[in-house]
Short mmCIF file of all heavy atoms in Angstrom, two decimals:
data_model
loop_
_atom_site.label_atom_id
_atom_site.label_comp_id
_atom_site.label_asym_id
_atom_site.label_seq_id
_atom_site.Cartn_x
_atom_site.Cartn_y
_atom_site.Cartn_z
N VAL A 1 73.65 114.13 123.37
CA VAL A 1 75.05 113.79 123.11
C VAL A 1 75.90 115.05 123.20
O VAL A 1 76.95 115.07 123.87
CB VAL A 1 75.24 113.10 121.74
CG1 VAL A 1 76.72 112.92 121.42
CG2 VAL A 1 74.51 111.78 121.69
N ILE A 2 75.48 116.12 122.54
CA ILE A 2 76.24 117.38 122.54
C ILE A 2 76.36 117.91 123.96
O ILE A 2 77.45 118.34 124.38
CB ILE A 2 75.59 118.42 121.61
CG1 ILE A 2 75.69 117.98 120.15
CG2 ILE A 2 76.19 119.81 121.82
CD1 ILE A 2 77.11 117.87 119.62
N GLU A 3 75.28 117.91 124.71
CA GLU A 3 75.34 118.40 126.10
C GLU A 3 76.34 117.58 126.92
O GLU A 3 77.12 118.14 127.69
CB GLU A 3 73.95 118.34 126.73
CG GLU A 3 73.00 119.38 126.15
CD GLU A 3 71.55 119.20 126.59
OE1 GLU A 3 71.22 118.18 127.23
OE2 GLU A 3 70.75 120.10 126.30
N LYS A 4 76.35 116.28 126.74
CA LYS A 4 77.25 115.40 127.48
C LYS A 4 78.71 115.65 127.11
O LYS A 4 79.56 115.81 127.99
CB LYS A 4 76.87 113.94 127.23
CG LYS A 4 77.73 112.94 127.94
CD LYS A 4 77.47 112.98 129.43
CE LYS A 4 78.14 111.80 130.11
NZ LYS A 4 77.84 111.78 131.52
N ILE A 5 79.02 115.67 125.81
CA ILE A 5 80.42 115.84 125.43
C ILE A 5 80.93 117.24 125.78
O ILE A 5 82.11 117.40 126.12
CB ILE A 5 80.71 115.46 123.96
CG1 ILE A 5 79.93 116.33 122.98
CG2 ILE A 5 80.45 113.99 123.72
CD1 ILE A 5 80.26 116.08 121.52
N ARG A 6 80.06 118.24 125.76
CA ARG A 6 80.48 119.58 126.19
C ARG A 6 80.75 119.59 127.68
O ARG A 6 81.74 120.16 128.14
CB ARG A 6 79.40 120.61 125.84
CG ARG A 6 79.35 120.95 124.36
CD ARG A 6 78.24 121.93 124.05
NE ARG A 6 78.19 122.26 122.63
CZ ARG A 6 77.24 123.02 122.09
NH1 ARG A 6 76.27 123.53 122.85
NH2 ARG A 6 77.26 123.26 120.79
N MET A 7 79.87 118.97 128.45
CA MET A 7 80.01 118.93 129.90
C MET A 7 81.30 118.21 130.30
O MET A 7 82.01 118.62 131.22
CB MET A 7 78.81 118.23 130.54
CG MET A 7 78.88 118.14 132.05
SD MET A 7 77.54 117.17 132.75
CE MET A 7 78.01 115.55 132.19
N MET A 8 81.63 117.15 129.59
CA MET A 8 82.81 116.34 129.91
C MET A 8 84.10 116.89 129.29
O MET A 8 85.17 116.38 129.55
CB MET A 8 82.60 114.89 129.46
CG MET A 8 81.42 114.21 130.13
SD MET A 8 81.55 114.09 131.92
CE MET A 8 82.92 112.98 132.08
N GLY A 9 83.99 117.92 128.46
CA GLY A 9 85.16 118.54 127.86
C GLY A 9 85.69 117.85 126.61
O GLY A 9 86.84 118.06 126.23
N PHE A 10 84.86 117.04 125.94
CA PHE A 10 85.31 116.31 124.76
C PHE A 10 84.94 116.97 123.44
O PHE A 10 85.40 116.54 122.38
CB PHE A 10 84.71 114.89 124.74
CG PHE A 10 85.16 114.02 125.88
CD1 PHE A 10 84.24 113.41 126.70
CD2 PHE A 10 86.50 113.80 126.12
CE1 PHE A 10 84.63 112.60 127.75
CE2 PHE A 10 86.92 112.99 127.15
CZ PHE A 10 85.98 112.39 127.97
N ALA A 11 84.11 117.99 123.45
CA ALA A 11 83.56 118.56 122.22
C ALA A 11 84.64 118.96 121.21
O ALA A 11 84.51 118.69 120.02
CB ALA A 11 82.66 119.76 122.53
N ASN A 12 85.72 119.56 121.67
CA ASN A 12 86.76 120.06 120.77
C ASN A 12 87.95 119.10 120.65
O ASN A 12 88.96 119.46 120.06
CB ASN A 12 87.25 121.43 121.23
CG ASN A 12 86.15 122.46 121.11
OD1 ASN A 12 85.41 122.49 120.15
ND2 ASN A 12 86.04 123.30 122.12
N MET A 13 87.80 117.91 121.19
CA MET A 13 88.88 116.92 121.08
C MET A 13 88.77 116.18 119.75
O MET A 13 87.67 115.80 119.33
CB MET A 13 88.79 115.92 122.24
CG MET A 13 89.15 116.53 123.58
SD MET A 13 89.13 115.33 124.91
CE MET A 13 90.47 114.26 124.41
N PRO A 14 89.91 115.96 119.09
CA PRO A 14 89.86 115.26 117.80
C PRO A 14 89.50 113.78 117.97
O PRO A 14 89.82 113.15 118.98
CB PRO A 14 91.27 115.39 117.26
CG PRO A 14 92.11 115.98 118.31
CD PRO A 14 91.24 116.42 119.43
N ILE A 15 88.80 113.26 116.98
CA ILE A 15 88.49 111.84 116.92
C ILE A 15 89.73 111.14 116.36
O ILE A 15 90.34 111.63 115.40
CB ILE A 15 87.27 111.59 116.00
CG1 ILE A 15 86.03 112.25 116.58
CG2 ILE A 15 87.05 110.11 115.77
CD1 ILE A 15 84.81 112.19 115.67
N ALA A 16 90.12 110.02 116.95
CA ALA A 16 91.34 109.32 116.54
C ALA A 16 91.35 109.02 115.04
O ALA A 16 92.34 109.24 114.35
CB ALA A 16 91.50 108.03 117.33
N ASN A 17 90.24 108.52 114.52
CA ASN A 17 90.10 108.24 113.09
C ASN A 17 88.86 108.98 112.60
O ASN A 17 87.74 108.54 112.88
CB ASN A 17 89.95 106.74 112.83
CG ASN A 17 91.19 105.98 113.22
OD1 ASN A 17 92.28 106.34 112.79
ND2 ASN A 17 91.03 104.96 114.03
N PRO A 18 89.04 110.11 111.90
CA PRO A 18 87.88 110.88 111.45
C PRO A 18 86.85 110.02 110.73
O PRO A 18 87.18 109.02 110.08
CB PRO A 18 88.50 111.90 110.49
CG PRO A 18 89.89 112.07 111.00
CD PRO A 18 90.30 110.71 111.47
N LEU A 19 85.60 110.40 110.89
CA LEU A 19 84.48 109.64 110.35
C LEU A 19 83.87 110.35 109.15
O LEU A 19 83.73 111.57 109.16
CB LEU A 19 83.40 109.46 111.43
CG LEU A 19 83.86 108.80 112.72
CD1 LEU A 19 82.76 108.91 113.78
CD2 LEU A 19 84.22 107.35 112.47
N GLU A 20 83.51 109.61 108.14
CA GLU A 20 82.82 110.19 106.99
C GLU A 20 81.33 110.22 107.30
O GLU A 20 80.73 109.19 107.60
CB GLU A 20 83.08 109.37 105.74
CG GLU A 20 82.49 110.05 104.52
CD GLU A 20 82.93 109.40 103.23
OE1 GLU A 20 84.14 109.46 102.93
OE2 GLU A 20 82.06 108.84 102.55
N ILE A 21 80.76 111.41 107.23
CA ILE A 21 79.35 111.63 107.57
C ILE A 21 78.62 112.15 106.34
O ILE A 21 79.17 112.94 105.57
CB ILE A 21 79.24 112.69 108.69
CG1 ILE A 21 80.06 112.29 109.92
CG2 ILE A 21 77.80 112.98 109.07
CD1 ILE A 21 79.62 111.02 110.57
N ILE A 22 77.38 111.74 106.18
CA ILE A 22 76.49 112.34 105.19
C ILE A 22 75.44 113.11 105.96
O ILE A 22 74.70 112.53 106.77
CB ILE A 22 75.85 111.28 104.27
CG1 ILE A 22 76.93 110.53 103.50
CG2 ILE A 22 74.85 111.96 103.31
CD1 ILE A 22 76.41 109.36 102.69
N CYS A 23 75.39 114.40 105.77
CA CYS A 23 74.50 115.26 106.53
C CYS A 23 73.04 114.90 106.29
O CYS A 23 72.61 114.77 105.14
CB CYS A 23 74.76 116.73 106.13
SG CYS A 23 73.75 117.90 107.06
N VAL A 24 72.30 114.78 107.38
CA VAL A 24 70.87 114.44 107.28
C VAL A 24 70.05 115.63 106.80
O VAL A 24 68.94 115.46 106.31
CB VAL A 24 70.30 113.93 108.63
CG1 VAL A 24 71.00 112.66 109.06
CG2 VAL A 24 70.38 114.99 109.72
N GLU A 25 70.61 116.84 106.90
CA GLU A 25 69.89 118.05 106.51
C GLU A 25 70.04 118.36 105.03
O GLU A 25 69.06 118.61 104.33
CB GLU A 25 70.39 119.23 107.35
CG GLU A 25 69.74 120.56 107.04
CD GLU A 25 68.36 120.71 107.65
OE1 GLU A 25 67.93 119.86 108.45
OE2 GLU A 25 67.69 121.70 107.29
N CYS A 26 71.29 118.32 104.53
CA CYS A 26 71.53 118.77 103.15
C CYS A 26 72.14 117.71 102.24
O CYS A 26 72.28 117.93 101.05
CB CYS A 26 72.43 120.01 103.16
SG CYS A 26 74.14 119.66 103.66
N GLY A 27 72.54 116.56 102.80
CA GLY A 27 73.11 115.49 102.00
C GLY A 27 74.59 115.62 101.70
O GLY A 27 75.17 114.77 101.04
N GLN A 28 75.22 116.70 102.19
CA GLN A 28 76.65 116.92 101.97
C GLN A 28 77.47 115.85 102.71
O GLN A 28 77.21 115.54 103.85
CB GLN A 28 77.03 118.31 102.49
CG GLN A 28 78.50 118.65 102.41
CD GLN A 28 78.93 119.02 101.02
OE1 GLN A 28 78.16 119.55 100.24
NE2 GLN A 28 80.17 118.75 100.70
N ARG A 29 78.47 115.31 102.05
CA ARG A 29 79.40 114.35 102.66
C ARG A 29 80.58 115.15 103.22
O ARG A 29 81.11 116.02 102.55
CB ARG A 29 79.88 113.38 101.60
CG ARG A 29 80.73 112.25 102.10
CD ARG A 29 81.12 111.32 100.96
NE ARG A 29 79.97 110.79 100.25
CZ ARG A 29 79.40 109.61 100.49
NH1 ARG A 29 79.88 108.84 101.43
NH2 ARG A 29 78.36 109.21 99.78
N PHE A 30 80.98 114.87 104.48
CA PHE A 30 82.11 115.56 105.08
C PHE A 30 82.81 114.68 106.11
O PHE A 30 82.27 113.66 106.53
CB PHE A 30 81.69 116.89 105.71
CG PHE A 30 80.86 116.77 106.96
CD1 PHE A 30 81.44 116.88 108.23
CD2 PHE A 30 79.48 116.56 106.90
CE1 PHE A 30 80.68 116.77 109.37
CE2 PHE A 30 78.71 116.45 108.03
CZ PHE A 30 79.33 116.57 109.28
N GLN A 31 84.03 115.07 106.47
CA GLN A 31 84.81 114.34 107.47
C GLN A 31 84.55 114.95 108.84
O GLN A 31 84.78 116.14 109.05
CB GLN A 31 86.31 114.44 107.15
CG GLN A 31 86.73 113.68 105.93
CD GLN A 31 86.67 112.17 106.15
OE1 GLN A 31 87.10 111.66 107.16
NE2 GLN A 31 86.10 111.47 105.19
N MET A 32 84.09 114.14 109.76
CA MET A 32 83.91 114.57 111.14
C MET A 32 85.23 114.32 111.86
O MET A 32 85.64 113.19 112.04
CB MET A 32 82.77 113.77 111.80
CG MET A 32 82.47 114.22 113.19
SD MET A 32 80.96 113.41 113.77
CE MET A 32 80.86 114.12 115.41
N GLU A 33 85.90 115.40 112.26
CA GLU A 33 87.22 115.30 112.84
C GLU A 33 87.24 115.51 114.35
O GLU A 33 88.21 115.16 115.02
CB GLU A 33 88.15 116.31 112.17
CG GLU A 33 88.32 116.01 110.69
CD GLU A 33 89.23 116.99 109.99
OE1 GLU A 33 89.76 117.92 110.65
OE2 GLU A 33 89.42 116.84 108.77
N TYR A 34 86.17 116.08 114.89
CA TYR A 34 86.07 116.35 116.33
C TYR A 34 84.79 115.72 116.88
O TYR A 34 83.85 115.48 116.12
CB TYR A 34 86.08 117.85 116.60
CG TYR A 34 87.37 118.50 116.16
CD1 TYR A 34 87.49 119.02 114.88
CD2 TYR A 34 88.46 118.55 117.00
CE1 TYR A 34 88.67 119.58 114.45
CE2 TYR A 34 89.66 119.10 116.58
CZ TYR A 34 89.76 119.62 115.30
OH TYR A 34 90.94 120.16 114.87
N HIS A 35 84.74 115.51 118.17
CA HIS A 35 83.57 114.87 118.77
C HIS A 35 82.30 115.71 118.57
O HIS A 35 81.20 115.18 118.55
CB HIS A 35 83.81 114.57 120.25
CG HIS A 35 84.77 113.44 120.42
ND1 HIS A 35 86.13 113.62 120.53
CD2 HIS A 35 84.57 112.11 120.45
CE1 HIS A 35 86.72 112.44 120.64
NE2 HIS A 35 85.80 111.52 120.58
N GLU A 36 82.46 117.01 118.44
CA GLU A 36 81.38 117.89 118.02
C GLU A 36 81.82 118.54 116.73
O GLU A 36 82.86 119.19 116.69
CB GLU A 36 81.07 118.96 119.06
CG GLU A 36 79.97 119.90 118.64
CD GLU A 36 79.64 120.97 119.67
OE1 GLU A 36 79.84 120.74 120.87
OE2 GLU A 36 79.16 122.02 119.25
N SER A 37 81.06 118.37 115.67
CA SER A 37 81.42 118.93 114.36
C SER A 37 80.18 119.48 113.68
O SER A 37 79.06 119.08 114.00
CB SER A 37 82.04 117.84 113.48
OG SER A 37 83.25 117.38 114.02
N LYS A 38 80.41 120.38 112.73
CA LYS A 38 79.31 120.96 111.95
C LYS A 38 79.47 120.60 110.50
O LYS A 38 80.59 120.56 109.98
CB LYS A 38 79.33 122.49 112.05
CG LYS A 38 78.83 123.06 113.33
CD LYS A 38 78.79 124.57 113.22
CE LYS A 38 78.30 125.18 114.52
NZ LYS A 38 78.25 126.64 114.42
N CYS A 39 78.36 120.40 109.84
CA CYS A 39 78.38 120.24 108.39
C CYS A 39 78.87 121.57 107.81
O CYS A 39 78.33 122.63 108.14
CB CYS A 39 76.98 119.92 107.88
SG CYS A 39 76.84 119.96 106.08
N PRO A 40 79.87 121.55 106.94
CA PRO A 40 80.39 122.79 106.38
C PRO A 40 79.43 123.46 105.40
O PRO A 40 79.58 124.64 105.10
CB PRO A 40 81.66 122.35 105.66
CG PRO A 40 81.47 120.90 105.38
CD PRO A 40 80.62 120.37 106.48
N ASN A 41 78.41 122.74 104.96
CA ASN A 41 77.47 123.29 104.00
C ASN A 41 76.28 123.97 104.67
O ASN A 41 75.89 125.06 104.28
CB ASN A 41 76.99 122.19 103.05
CG ASN A 41 76.14 122.72 101.94
OD1 ASN A 41 76.56 123.60 101.19
ND2 ASN A 41 74.93 122.21 101.83
N CYS A 42 75.68 123.33 105.70
CA CYS A 42 74.45 123.87 106.29
C CYS A 42 74.53 124.12 107.79
O CYS A 42 73.57 124.59 108.39
CB CYS A 42 73.29 122.93 105.99
SG CYS A 42 73.33 121.38 106.92
N ASN A 43 75.67 123.81 108.41
CA ASN A 43 75.90 124.03 109.84
C ASN A 43 75.11 123.14 110.79
O ASN A 43 74.99 123.45 111.98
CB ASN A 43 75.70 125.50 110.21
CG ASN A 43 76.74 126.38 109.60
OD1 ASN A 43 77.91 126.03 109.53
ND2 ASN A 43 76.34 127.55 109.12
N MET A 44 74.60 122.01 110.30
CA MET A 44 73.99 121.03 111.19
C MET A 44 75.08 120.52 112.14
O MET A 44 76.18 120.20 111.70
CB MET A 44 73.39 119.87 110.42
CG MET A 44 72.84 118.74 111.28
SD MET A 44 71.45 119.20 112.31
CE MET A 44 70.12 119.21 111.14
N ILE A 45 74.78 120.47 113.44
CA ILE A 45 75.75 120.04 114.44
C ILE A 45 75.60 118.54 114.68
O ILE A 45 74.49 118.03 114.81
CB ILE A 45 75.56 120.81 115.75
CG1 ILE A 45 75.76 122.30 115.51
CG2 ILE A 45 76.50 120.29 116.84
CD1 ILE A 45 75.35 123.18 116.68
N TYR A 46 76.74 117.87 114.76
CA TYR A 46 76.78 116.42 115.01
C TYR A 46 77.64 116.14 116.22
O TYR A 46 78.61 116.86 116.48
CB TYR A 46 77.38 115.69 113.79
CG TYR A 46 76.46 115.71 112.61
CD1 TYR A 46 76.45 116.77 111.73
CD2 TYR A 46 75.55 114.67 112.40
CE1 TYR A 46 75.59 116.81 110.66
CE2 TYR A 46 74.68 114.70 111.32
CZ TYR A 46 74.70 115.77 110.47
OH TYR A 46 73.83 115.80 109.41
N GLY A 47 77.30 115.09 116.96
CA GLY A 47 78.09 114.71 118.11
C GLY A 47 78.23 113.21 118.25
O GLY A 47 77.36 112.45 117.82
#
């Protein structure tokens, strides 16, 4: 997913309605605002 959105130029584009994510690595809840985002607690990358 990350490779695809980077290739297509979407990685840094904002998501129309940010998504609430619970990190699979550390359990931190955060708002995913871009098509590629990192958990602010552990830096797990999501796409």
Side-chain angles (χ1 to χ4, degrees):
V1 173
I2 293 296
E3 289 170 352
K4 180 69 169 183
I5 61 175
R6 286 178 180 175
M7 180 186 70
M8 299 299 293
F10 296 125
N12 295 318
M13 290 183 66
I15 296 173
N17 295 308
L19 303 170
E20 186 170 295
I21 304 298
I22 298 173
C23 182
V24 298
E25 179 78 9
C26 70
Q28 176 77 30
R29 186 178 303 265
F30 70 98
Q31 290 290 315
M32 184 171 180
E33 298 180 0
Y34 298 91
H35 288 91
E36 179 179 333
S37 296
K38 284 185 181 181
C39 171
N41 187 56
C42 72
N43 293 320
M44 175 64 78
I45 299 170
Y46 290 85

